[in-house]
Amino acid sequence: MATAQKTHKTSAVSELLRSPSLPALLTIAAIVIGLAALLPLVQSSDATSINGNIQKLEQEKSDWQARLHEIELGVASLGSLDHIEREATQRLHMKPPQSVQYITVDVPAPAGHKLPSRFLPPQPEPQQSGSSIWHKLFGWFPLP
Amino acid sequence: MVQRRRSSNWRLWAVVAVIGVATLVITARLAQLQILDHQRYASEARLTHVSQETVSGRRGALLDRNGYPLAASEDTYDVMVEQRAWKDSDTAAKAAQAISAVTAGQPDAMLAAVAGTDVFEVPVIRGLNYEQATKVRQLGLNGVRLLLSSSRVYPEGNLAAQLLGFVGRDNIGLTGLEADLESILGGAKGSRTVEHDGLGNQLAWGTNHEVAPEPGSDIVLTIDRYIQRLVEKELDAAIEQHKAGGGTIIVIEPKTGEILAMASRPSFDVTKPDLSDESKVALFRNRAITDQYEPGSVFKLVTASAALDTGAVGPDTLWYDSGVVNVSGWSIYNWNFSANGTQTVTQILSKSLNTGAAWLAQQLGPDRFYQYVDRFGFGRSTGIGLSGEAPGRVRTPQNDADNWSPVDMTTNSFGQGISVTPLQMAMALATIANDGLAMKPHIVKEIISPSGRRAIQPEPLGQVISPETARTLRQMMGVVVDGIPKSLLDVQGYKVGGKTGTANIAAGDGGYRPDAYISSFVGVVPEENPVLSVLVKIDEPKDVPWGTVVAAPAFQRIVQPALAYMRVPPDQPVLVSEIR
């Protein structure tokens, strides 16, 4: 019985080898292996493309920052005392006063202009008062 | 047959031996290259393929006390060219021509810069602005890239040039505040490490490491750009009017010790400092703190303060002026060789009597006199934190017993034979203005870093004279100003206290230069509760030497608009008008 089974197995392998579907199987296997080999290439290509995009975006960010700084300084130059005086005398034809009058009044002086904030960092947001529902819940527990 | 087999065996073994030895040699060499000298060759390979460049963060700005930028950084671009990309002369010439067309650079200079080097890449043009850089990038030239850099911009032009200083090409401060505050303004440098292939292209999977730079902090100064401009304008006008050699003006807020304005002449163009000419290097120094001079009669305020504070005299104490004081064989006269008879201490100041100042010093004695000179801060640096500050020179019986003589104290009492800096003199005046409390002078008001803001608080140094003495002295200074003709000094609406000075200039051989003077005026306003103390010093005026004529008018032209600008109410609630 066992001999008969072994004979059957051997014949199945040899049948497979002789089968006309073997080339097709080998072709499929080759394609699978080829695709698997292509995968790192696709990944590598994708990473290169992303890297290129990141560099391009960084370049754009850098350009915008440069533009912003240039505009900031342009505004600063327009606000310079020399420029203000030039505009006043040349464009608006203003002249220094011939007569100056100082009048004392019994009200406080108006508040000074706020600082131009273009070079100053934004003020921190005021802390929101009150705690969240989770804080309240935790507050009920006797935690240290 | 056997003989033949032996012969072929020998040849076979010989070939095997040769191959074996060759294999051993190659293996040994491989072991040397890849194991023993691995580190060396790996680092050499890295040097060839991996490049590292330093990346600077944006340099912090120097702002005036109201936040207006006095010096700030602008992003610029340097055009970098790979040397081998321009090996072909035709390609190089075309590329240089194309760059030149959009940047106004010189093509020949660019070609020479690349040809004259063997490094990987060189800058061919520097400092392009954003528009120019965009145009260069759009050219898409092979082997040409833009390197982000920055340059310093001065929106207010040459305002406070010596105080601010300037930076070098590497963006590191060389003089002034730019150098003194380098560690704060400069931030921390970063680096960018990238790996290239054999053609110089960046490898996507290679080493790519970037340490981001930290931007520098912005610094808010105590300087007020309006008052600084006013001061520089009036300093220039006074120098031109009196054909003077130079001068210094300092404006201080006495209650805090904050420097509102500090200007000296001659100065330089901060936007284009000339480092090639050594003779012009002296123009870079901040003379208000580096230069020492004999202050002359303005120093009588210190002598009078000491005499009043010790109770040796009062403002109305009488004294007889014979016109001469004899000390150690020397005769001391008044500036006009006058003999004024019986005079009060107040008149010593109002008439600026050298003999009277000498008498006051004699009432004190050398110990107490020099003790007050020291308490006012003379003979040592003020601690303002600016480099190059001179300590001044005060010869006392303690520090120079061999050379000191009583005549030194006599001449010191009216400001000769003693060297001070303009800032020291201005701070002594500010102490009197601040009811006798000396404040540490400072120029930095606030530091604004990405992590937050840090305000610099005013720092009291100590009570030099009592508040009562300071008030009395200011009243005496008011009397001095009352004696100045209105045409020279009349601050409409405000009571002013001040003192004039006309000092000789030391010649270096122990004597004084003939016909060379320093004219000065120190004043506080309003006299009752001063908000400004001002020192005006004009060096070597050619027409008249007197501080009253040369320096006092400049003081008036500065404080009159400055008080209105600072919204300081006039002393009396009346309508005041000024006709110019």
Side-chain angles (χ1 to χ4, degrees):
Chain A
M1 184 66 186
T3 309
Q5 278 180 346
K6 191 176 178 183
T7 310
H8 182 253
K9 260 190 183 174
T10 308
S11 63
V13 172
S14 55
E15 266 179 35
L16 184 64
L17 289 172
R18 287 193 209 102
S19 161
S21 61
L22 182 65
L25 281 173
L26 287 174
T27 307
I28 289 166
I31 289 169
V32 168
I33 291 166
L35 284 174
L38 204 63
L39 196 63
L41 189 67
V42 171
Q43 279 184 320
S44 169
S45 165
D46 197 33
T48 308
S49 169
I50 289 169
N51 190 43
N53 280 339
I54 289 170
Q55 283 187 11
K56 195 177 158 193
L57 288 170
E58 278 180 349
Q59 181 67 57
E60 275 183 32
K61 182 188 164 197
S62 170
D63 281 358
W64 280 114
Q65 276 181 339
R67 189 84 184 115
L68 180 69
H69 294 159
E70 198 174 79
I71 291 168
E72 276 178 351
L73 281 168
V75 172
S77 298
L78 289 173
S80 73
L81 291 172
D82 276 343
H83 183 261
I84 290 169
E85 187 174 296
R86 222 170 22 248
E87 285 288 295
T89 55
Q90 293 175 7
R91 194 164 66 83
L92 303 173
H93 305 293
M94 295 171 81
K95 289 178 181 171
Q98 297 300 307
S99 165
V100 180
Q101 291 193 332
Y102 301 92
I103 302 167
T104 305
V105 290
D106 59 353
V107 291
H113 292 293
K114 294 298 288 179
L115 305 186
S117 58
R118 56 185 170 271
F119 277 94
L120 305 181
Q123 293 295 319
E125 291 286 324
Q127 289 282 331
Q128 291 221 336
S129 60
S131 54
S132 70
I133 190 165
W134 293 107
H135 280 104
K136 286 176 185 166
L137 279 171
F138 279 119
W140 293 346
F141 292 99
L143 296 172
Chain B
M1 185 67 190
V2 172
Q3 192 71 26
R4 195 176 166 189
R5 185 178 291 168
R6 274 185 189 162
S7 172
S8 48
N9 276 350
W10 179 84
R11 285 197 198 100
L12 183 65
W13 282 112
V15 170
V16 168
V18 167
I19 291 170
V21 169
T23 307
L24 276 174
V25 168
I26 290 168
T27 308
R29 177 65 175 153
L30 283 173
Q32 186 207 354
L33 289 174
Q34 297 191 5
I35 299 169
L36 298 176
D37 293 340
H38 169 78
Q39 288 295 334
R40 184 181 140 212
Y41 288 108
S43 61
E44 278 183 16
R46 265 198 301 278
L47 279 176
T48 311
H49 292 286
V50 178
S51 65
Q52 186 179 46
E53 61 188 36
T54 304
V55 187
S56 298
R58 194 180 186 218
R59 190 175 177 81
L62 287 167
L63 312 170
D64 93 328
R65 65 189 292 117
N66 295 314
Y68 290 100
L70 303 174
S73 286
E74 180 183 38
D75 291 334
T76 58
Y77 298 84
D78 298 341
V79 180
M80 307 295 290
V81 173
E82 285 177 25
Q83 188 241 349
R84 64 183 159 191
W86 279 21
K87 267 190 175 164
D88 178 56
S89 56
D90 286 345
T91 310
K94 279 180 190 166
Q97 199 65 47
I99 295 170
S100 162
V102 294
T103 61
Q106 295 296 320
D108 293 342
M110 293 184 208
L111 292 170
V114 178
T117 184
D118 53 0
V119 296
F120 180 69
E121 66 176 357
V122 285
V124 294
I125 188 162
R126 290 179 186 272
L128 297 186
N129 62 26
Y130 173 77
E131 303 289 346
Q132 291 171 318
T134 306
K135 286 176 183 169
V136 171
R137 191 179 295 131
Q138 284 167 351
L139 292 172
L141 296 169
N142 188 32
V144 176
R145 73 173 180 119
L146 293 163
L147 181 67
L148 186 64
S149 181
S150 74
S151 66
R152 216 56 172 154
V153 178
Y154 302 88
E156 298 289 341
N158 283 318
L159 198 73
Q162 290 157 325
L163 181 65
L164 299 181
F166 55 88
V167 298
R169 184 178 276 181
D170 54 0
N171 249 337
I172 291 175
L174 297 180
T175 66
L177 287 169
E178 295 277 20
D180 295 337
L181 304 174
E182 174 61 37
S183 59
I184 302 170
L185 289 167
K189 292 198 185 302
S191 65
R192 185 164 175 262
T193 310
V194 287
E195 193 170 358
H196 300 278
D197 63 12
L199 296 171
N201 301 313
Q202 188 182 333
L203 293 175
W205 291 91
T207 305
N208 191 351
H209 181 60
E210 188 165 349
V211 178
E214 284 177 29
S217 302
D218 290 343
I219 294 178
V220 181
L221 303 177
T222 58
I223 296 292
D224 187 303
R225 66 170 188 162
Y226 177 81
I227 298 175
Q228 178 73 28
R229 188 166 181 267
L230 198 61
V231 158
E232 295 197 8
K233 201 172 147 191
E234 292 307 331
L235 181 58
D236 288 335
I239 288 170
E240 191 183 341
Q241 185 186 350
H242 300 288
K243 298 176 179 57
T248 298
I249 298 180
I250 301 173
V251 182
I252 297 172
E253 190 176 74
K255 287 185 171 49
T256 58
E258 291 179 356
I259 311 291
L260 297 176
M262 180 185 271
S264 296
R265 293 289 185 271
S267 188
F268 68 102
D269 184 355
V270 75
T271 60
K272 287 179 233 153
D274 185 2
L275 293 166
S276 60
D277 188 351
E278 273 191 31
S279 66
K280 291 183 179 169
V281 172
L283 299 177
F284 302 153
R285 73 173 188 263
N286 184 357
R287 290 160 194 267
I289 58 162
T290 60
D291 287 17
Q292 303 174 128
Y293 72 112
E294 297 191 17
S297 293
V298 293
F299 199 80
K300 286 171 185 159
L301 292 175
V302 175
T303 307
S305 295
L308 289 170
D309 199 55
T310 53
V313 296
D316 299 319
T317 302
L318 295 175
W319 154 80
Y320 186 81
D321 176 23
S322 64
V324 63
V325 174
N326 293 305
V327 183
S328 307
W330 293 83
S331 297
I332 306 295
Y333 299 94
N334 287 318
W335 58 275
N336 55 359
F337 297 98
S338 63
N340 297 277
T342 303
Q343 297 289 307
T344 63
V345 170
T346 302
Q347 284 174 311
I348 290 174
L349 286 185
S350 65
K351 294 183 179 177
S352 199
L353 302 176
N354 294 344
T355 50
W359 175 73
L360 289 174
Q362 284 168 354
Q363 302 309 300
L364 289 162
D367 287 348
R368 285 198 297 178
F369 175 76
Y370 287 113
Q371 188 189 354
Y372 274 91
V373 169
D374 178 64
R375 285 165 70 169
F376 270 104
F378 296 104
R380 61 172 187 270
S381 64
T382 61
I384 191 172
L386 300 176
S387 60
E389 187 184 9
R393 186 175 149 271
V394 183
R395 184 191 291 162
T396 69
Q398 282 76 37
N399 68 22
D400 196 0
D402 295 340
N403 296 311
W404 184 87
S405 79
V407 76
D408 284 323
M409 184 184 71
T410 308
T411 55
N412 292 170
S413 69
F414 51 89
Q416 299 285 175
I418 184 171
S419 294
V420 306
T421 64
L423 181 63
Q424 284 175 335
M425 196 62 235
M427 288 314 298
L429 177 74
T431 300
I432 295 167
N434 192 34
D435 284 345
L437 178 64
M439 302 298 293
K440 189 173 178 178
H442 62 283
I443 201 87
V444 175
K445 193 172 175 66
E446 202 173 2
I447 298 169
I448 305 169
S449 64
S451 58
R453 313 171 81 156
R454 186 161 69 89
I456 310 298
Q457 299 300 327
E459 188 181 335
L461 294 175
Q463 195 75 34
V464 176
I465 52 174
S466 70
E468 295 74 29
T469 303
R471 278 194 286 275
T472 305
L473 198 70
R474 289 204 301 271
Q475 285 165 4
M476 292 161 72
M477 289 163 70
V479 175
V480 173
V481 170
D482 289 342
I484 297 174
K486 296 277 185 198
S487 59
L488 296 173
L489 177 55
D490 182 20
V491 181
Q492 294 283 323
Y494 302 90
K495 180 85 175 141
V496 175
K499 180 73 190 81
T500 58
T502 306
N504 293 100
I505 300 175
D509 58 357
Y512 290 100
R513 289 168 53 194
D515 298 326
Y517 301 93
I518 289 173
S519 310
S520 53
F521 181 85
V522 293
V524 298
V525 65
E527 179 205 295
E528 185 68 26
N529 185 22
V531 295
L532 291 176
S533 65
V534 182
L535 173 142
V536 180
K537 166 180 167 280
I538 307 295
D539 303 335
E540 300 186 55
K542 298 290 182 297
D543 52 355
V544 284
W546 314 120
T548 314
V549 180
V550 177
F555 170 86
Q556 181 204 302
R557 289 194 294 267
I558 289 165
V559 299
Q560 188 79 72
L563 289 167
Y565 167 76
M566 294 173 75
R567 299 163 193 261
V568 179
D571 292 334
Q572 289 86 32
V574 291
L575 176 69
V576 182
S577 68
E578 177 195 357
I579 308 294
R580 291 181 183 174

